Amino acid sequence: MDHRTAGQPGYLAERIAEFAHDLSLDDIPEPVRAVARAHLLDGVGTALAATPLDFGRAIHDAARHLGHGTESHVIGFGTALPAASAALANGTLIHGLDFDDTHIGAIYHATAPSLAATLAVAEAQEADGASALVAYVLGLEIGCRIARIGAGRFHDRGFHPTGIAGAFAAATVAGRLRRQSVATMVNALGLCGSQAAGILEVRESWLKRFHPGWAAHSGLVASTVAGAGFLGPTSVFEGPRGLFATHLAEVPDASTLRIDDLGSRWMTSEIAIKPYPCCHMTHAFIDGAREVLAELGAAALSPEDIDRIECPIAARMMRSVTEPTETKIAPQTLYQALFSVQYAVALTLVRGSVDLAAFYDEPLDDPAVLAVARKVVCPPDEHSDYPAHFTGDVTVHLRDGRSIHKRIPDSRGSRQWPMSTEDITAKFESNARRALPTDNVNAIVKVVGDIESCADVSELLHLTTA
């Protein structure tokens, strides 16, 4: 029986592989390339900032124990490993701080799996920067589209779309850089279906950090196995036991797939860069709190200034960033703080900013921050259009009787409110300097800014080690 989606010629895997096989650098508009270069720089920076931390050292050590090799290097460590192992480490490092980019409509961390796969395979293939950039953009485009098909519904069913869609993105990246045939790439995508994974039963573990690393690793393994002639199911997406049926409980109709606009609509340009190192669902609330401070002309507020704070939020987001209330108001662990609207708003109002230092260098139990967090209530937002937007709504009721309300439809860093090139570079420099001397930091900015002229991607990887 043919299980193709009604009205669509060819299986989805075939159409993805054909696009990946045929895309050229000239097909990608310069504004899209510029966005990709910015996100590439951002991803390298978030990985570097993670290298000194406990989970960064752990994933590096684990990748070393998986086997020896000389194909590719781990960002910040300089360790040579087999490509799949380097991708495992790099994907985990890029996402580990939850400071990497997000396609908000897809609820998908786009760069981590795609860039990890790109750097690993490009170095192993001795590819130039132009080839790497094409592969990276392909990974972004394919990953975003697969995640977008199940936007919100993956989360509702307990799946992390980055771990799932990222594997297919990585396989596409690898197939392109390895110059595989369309048929081989289809087999690789089919094999990814049984490797794409990521459940959100995270609790206080490091599991979520691992997902994009595993996705990149899985995509490279699938590409390698397919390259040896191993067959995978062409109907991996649409089949009665394929990805959509098992993970979404239905096969979407043709209009939902949004594959026909590959090459005309560039989802790369829709991906948001994070200005704050915490869950993206909290960002618009941080922006709202910052605007409250700006209207008051204050750098910060004390708990005594505030009577209560109302932060309406989409009901489907509550499980991620407002519940259970007790641990979101007074986080006992880093992850509880990173995924708390109450804590993020309080941190902003009390300290005036939210940065890496607030989570990694300073205590989480500042009495002033916790006192304000206890005043935050998060009722359902009846006007939210989640998952299309992560809206933030903040009303601060002051003890002097004033109430200041700010509604932020799109957070800073999104396509509607983009960060400037200077801001993105400054973010990279701040992150990278946690691991590298200034000369290396400046050199990376230069290489990435002209990545199409880079003769060998290994040049970039070598700069990431002090």
Side-chain angles (χ1 to χ4, degrees):
M1 181 180 293
D2 191 337
H3 296 289
R4 305 181 194 204
T5 303
Q8 294 297 306
Y11 286 109
L12 188 55
E14 293 172 327
R15 293 155 62 207
I16 289 172
E18 288 165 359
F19 179 76
H21 184 272
D22 295 340
L23 186 70
S24 71
L25 183 66
D26 290 340
D27 293 329
I28 305 172
E30 171 53 30
V32 177
R33 290 191 230 168
V35 170
R37 290 192 293 268
H39 285 259
L40 196 163
L41 183 70
D42 185 62
V44 172
T46 59
L48 285 167
T51 57
L53 300 179
D54 46 8
F55 71 84
R57 295 191 300 270
I59 196 63
H60 169 250
D61 290 346
R64 289 175 58 232
H65 282 100
L66 287 174
H68 301 287
T70 59
E71 292 181 317
S72 308
H73 289 80
V74 180
I75 294 172
F77 289 96
T79 307
L81 294 172
S85 296
L88 172 68
N90 287 336
T92 304
L93 290 170
I94 292 168
H95 179 57
L97 297 172
D98 235 288
F99 208 1
D100 54 319
D101 61 24
T102 312
H103 189 288
I104 291 175
I107 323 179
Y108 172 66
H109 294 281
T111 280
S114 294
L115 182 57
T118 297
L119 294 178
V121 181
E123 188 177 14
Q125 296 291 121
E126 299 181 350
D128 59 27
S131 300
L133 188 66
V134 173
Y136 173 50
V137 171
L138 275 170
L140 298 178
E141 293 294 319
I142 299 308
C144 284
R145 279 172 169 78
I146 294 171
R148 178 65 182 83
I149 291 168
R153 292 185 293 165
F154 281 128
H155 280 83
D156 292 344
R157 294 173 64 85
F159 295 115
H160 188 197
T162 303
I164 294 166
F168 297 100
T172 304
V173 165
R176 170 63 190 222
L177 286 168
R178 290 169 172 170
R179 299 183 177 87
Q180 292 179 334
S181 67
V182 169
T184 299
M185 282 194 272
V186 169
N187 284 325
L189 291 168
L191 295 171
C192 277
S194 288
Q195 298 185 85
I199 59 171
L200 287 169
E201 185 58 33
V202 175
R203 300 284 176 167
E204 306 315 317
S205 74
W206 294 346
L207 180 62
K208 183 174 177 289
R209 292 173 167 135
F210 183 68
H211 287 163
W214 183 251
H217 178 275
S218 297
L220 267 62
V221 168
S223 172
T224 301
V225 173
F230 206 91
L231 302 181
T234 307
S235 57
V236 59
F237 296 107
E238 307 96 325
R241 297 180 182 179
L243 181 75
F244 300 148
T246 56
H247 288 62
L248 302 178
E250 65 174 353
V251 177
D253 62 28
S255 63
T256 306
L257 295 178
R258 299 191 178 185
I259 292 296
D260 288 337
D261 60 5
L262 276 167
S264 57
R265 173 193 178 185
W266 295 93
M267 294 185 77
T268 296
S269 298
E270 303 170 7
I271 304 168
I273 287 181
K274 283 187 173 184
Y276 316 118
C278 48
C279 177
H280 225 136
M281 294 178 183
T282 70
H283 281 214
F285 292 94
I286 295 171
D287 291 324
R290 285 167 57 95
E291 290 200 2
V292 168
L293 289 176
E295 181 167 325
L296 289 170
L301 294 175
S302 69
E304 293 74 24
D305 295 325
I306 301 169
D307 181 46
R308 70 185 189 282
I309 304 165
E310 297 175 21
C311 295
I313 185 170
R316 290 167 69 191
M317 293 168 66
M318 288 180 173
R319 183 170 59 172
S320 297
V321 289
T322 68
E323 298 173 349
T325 304
E326 298 78 12
T327 56
K328 299 300 186 182
I329 287 174
Q332 301 299 303
T333 68
L334 176 63
Y335 252 76
Q336 290 170 355
L338 293 173
F339 287 77
S340 170
V341 166
Q342 297 94 318
Y343 190 79
V345 169
L347 196 62
T348 307
L349 293 174
V350 171
R351 298 187 186 171
S353 63
V354 177
D355 56 16
L356 280 176
F359 294 106
Y360 296 93
D361 302 336
E362 299 168 7
L364 299 177
D365 59 353
D366 181 338
V369 174
L370 298 185
V372 173
R374 284 193 290 270
K375 300 182 181 188
V376 180
V377 295
C378 301
D381 183 354
E382 297 178 356
H383 304 291
S384 171
D385 63 351
Y386 170 88
H389 301 88
F390 296 168
T391 301
D393 196 300
V394 179
T395 302
V396 177
H397 300 278
L398 299 171
R399 287 283 177 85
D400 63 11
R402 290 179 294 167
S403 295
I404 302 174
H405 173 250
K406 299 295 178 182
R407 186 172 180 87
I408 310 298
D410 296 284
S411 60
R412 180 169 172 253
S414 65
R415 179 178 54 167
Q416 294 79 8
W417 188 5
M419 293 172 65
S420 68
T421 300
E422 293 74 19
D423 287 342
I424 295 168
T425 301
K427 175 189 170 183
F428 166 77
E429 291 172 346
S430 176
N431 283 335
R433 285 185 182 129
R434 295 175 76 93
L436 293 178
T438 299
D439 286 348
N440 290 58
V441 173
N442 293 340
I444 292 171
V445 172
K446 184 176 180 180
V447 169
V448 173
D450 191 24
I451 192 68
E452 292 96 326
S453 299
C454 180
D456 191 329
V457 170
S458 64
E459 176 185 349
L460 172 60
L461 271 299
H462 292 323
L463 288 171
T464 68
T465 305

